[in-house]
């Protein structure tokens, strides 16, 4: 009787093992479902520029659409204040300070040269007013006051700035002060500024909105934002200008149009008008020439993999974060998705573990590859499930 039972069990497992082996794999999701591919048109070149360096980047996908000297070290001037703001926003996010907190303006902050917010030595000013003074008025006095409050000294704050730069992958940038006043060891690159701008917009939308303010008044003195694009283009909502004699006129700008956001970085032009004109030309070029779409949402099941000896027979796979792609206009319907997935997994399976990849291609050229990860844990199954699957695996 016992031999008969195991003979039946063995036959059952063999049949099921062959059935599992013959089961079709999950079909890869389609980027779109066009009837016929659109003909590929040549992509026009970016506009000519007199800037020493520039970069045009899509915010969502991170795709660089145009660049020149993007990895060459440049003087940042007041673009430095973007990293200063990022570090202050980090302190706010961590609960180390509040917008309503009052900061006593030191003599050093008050005496700092260059552009000013006209805060007075010994007075107490709120964090929010100092931030707006730094963002809108580019006030060096407000900037130093914030740096000293966050880190105790401007030197300590510069170390914090470099720490965050490293975390963001800004490999070719180094900060020695919070304001951007000239220093031989203070430098950035256009590509690094693009990384910083993306992080700023993504992580701190509640504070980023201040970069669209056209004016700010403090101590009875009204000053206007130097970003001329805020008046020229209603799609532009930031970000920061910079200028010194040696750095030239610089601008990091961002704009949204039809669900697409672009970031431009223009370094070392000859005038305020030129930096605005060339930034506008880059943004217009990007919006006219490219489109950005979300292919897949984070944590959405895209496929499954067979799980042996588990509490569940299958494991859903997806991607860890939203997947966006930027392509020349009219070519989105030509995208193709392909998946390479492990044949099976033996429990326990852990959420977040990689079990394959998804590849997106356009006209037979792979544009990007992303890992397919487990979307949940799968614990080991019962002793009976483990026994059955062990026998199945012998014959699979």
């Amino acid at each position: 009787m016992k031999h008969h039972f195991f003979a039946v069990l063995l036959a059952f497992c063999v049949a099921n093992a062959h059935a599992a082996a013959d089961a079709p794999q999950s079909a890869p999701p389609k980027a779109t479902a066009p009837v016929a591919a659109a003909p590929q048109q040549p992509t026009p070149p970016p506009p000519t520029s007199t800037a020493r360096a520039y970069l045009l980047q899509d915010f969502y996908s991170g795709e660089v659409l145009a660049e020149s000297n993007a990895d060459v070290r440049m003087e940042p001037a007041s673009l430095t204040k973007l990293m200063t703001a990022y570090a202050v926003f980090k302190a706010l996010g961590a609960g180390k300070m509040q917008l309503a907190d009052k900061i006593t303006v030191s003599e050093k902050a008050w005496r700092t040269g260059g552009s000013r917010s006209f805060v007075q030595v010994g007075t107490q000013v709120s964090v929010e007013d100092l931030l707006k003074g730094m963002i809108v008025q580019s006030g060096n006095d407000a900037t130093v006051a914030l740096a000293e409050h966050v880190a105790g000294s401007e030197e300590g704050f510069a170390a914090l700035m470099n720490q965050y730069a490293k975390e963001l992958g800004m490999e070719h940038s180094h900060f020695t002060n919070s304001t951007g006043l000239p220093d031989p060891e203070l430098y950035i690159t256009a590509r690094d500024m693009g990384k910083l701008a993306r992080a700023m917009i993504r992580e701190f939308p509640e504070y980023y909105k201040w970069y669209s303010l056209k004016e700010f008044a403090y101590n009875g003195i009204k000053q206007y934002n130097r970003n001329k694009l805020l008046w020229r283009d209603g799609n532009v909502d930031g970000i920061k200008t910079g200028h010194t004699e040696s750095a030239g006129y610089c601008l990091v700008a961002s704009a949204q149009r039809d669900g697409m956001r672009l970031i431009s970085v223009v370094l070392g032009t000859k005038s305020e008008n030129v930096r605005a004109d060339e930034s506008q030309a880059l943004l217009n070029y990007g919006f006219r020439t490219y489109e950005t779409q979300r292919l897949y949402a984070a944590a959405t099941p895209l496929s499954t993999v067979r799980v042996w000896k588990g509490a569940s027979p299958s494991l859903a796979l997806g991607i860890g974060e939203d997947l966006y792609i930027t392509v020349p206009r009219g070519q989105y319907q030509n995208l193709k998705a392909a998946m390479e997935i492990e044949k099976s997994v033996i429990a326990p399976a852990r959420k977040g573990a990689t079990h394959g990849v998804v590849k997106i291609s356009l006209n037979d050229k792979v544009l990007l590859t992303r890992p397919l990860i487990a979307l949940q844990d799968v614990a080991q199954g019962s002793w009976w499930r483990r026994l059955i699957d062990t026998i199945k695996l012998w014959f699979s």
Side-chain angles (χ1 to χ4, degrees), residues 120-133:
Q120 299 300 309
V121 63
T123 60
Q124 290 194 320
V125 186
S126 71
V127 170
E128 181 171 348
D129 281 344
L130 289 172
L131 277 167
K132 290 178 179 178

Side-chain angles (χ1 to χ4, degrees), residues 16-28 302-307 313-315 339 341-344:
N16 277 274
H18 287 303
D22 294 338
Q25 295 293 315
S26 298
L302 302 181
S303 188
T304 59
V305 63
R306 175 72 163 91
V307 178
S314 63
L315 173 64
M339 294 190 185
I341 302 171
E342 294 178 5
K343 289 184 178 180
S344 60

Side-chain angles (χ1 to χ4, degrees), residues 214 225-233 236 241 251 271-277 280:
K214 294 180 179 179
N225 197 314
R226 296 173 178 86
N227 183 359
K228 291 189 174 185
L229 295 187
L230 293 176
W231 281 267
R232 295 186 186 181
D233 185 345
V236 173
T241 62
L251 174 60
S271 71
E272 289 186 58
N273 284 331
V274 171
R275 74 182 174 193
D277 292 344
Q280 184 76 76

Side-chain angles (χ1 to χ4, degrees), residues 275-333:
R275 74 182 174 193
D277 292 344
E278 296 196 358
S279 297
Q280 184 76 76
L282 279 173
L283 293 170
N284 288 342
Y285 165 77
F287 286 124
R288 284 196 307 264
T289 308
Y290 294 92
E291 62 179 313
T292 297
Q293 302 285 348
R294 188 178 74 169
L295 291 182
Y296 307 118
T300 298
L302 302 181
S303 188
T304 59
V305 63
R306 175 72 163 91
V307 178
W308 297 101
K309 305 182 183 181
S312 171
S314 63
L315 173 64
L317 303 179
I319 54 177
E321 57 185 25
D322 289 355
L323 178 57
Y324 290 86
I325 193 164
T326 303
V327 294
R329 286 200 173 273
Q331 290 299 305
Y332 177 70
Q333 59 186 341

Side-chain angles (χ1 to χ4, degrees), residues 4-85:
H4 176 70
F5 168 76
F6 279 105
V8 172
L9 174 62
L10 179 61
F12 170 79
C13 291
V14 170
N16 277 274
H18 287 303
D22 294 338
Q25 295 293 315
S26 298
K30 297 178 180 179
T32 62
V35 176
Q40 185 175 11
Q41 300 294 323
T43 302
T48 57
S49 174
T50 62
R52 298 173 197 166
Y54 69 79
L55 179 89
L56 179 66
Q57 186 173 27
D58 182 84
F59 167 73
Y60 291 105
S61 69
E63 185 74 18
V64 174
L65 310 180
E67 62 178 283
S68 175
N69 296 327
D71 294 310
V72 176
R73 288 182 181 179
M74 298 284 173
E75 292 185 52
S78 282
L79 297 186
T80 301
K81 294 183 177 80
L82 284 177
M83 178 53 81
T84 301

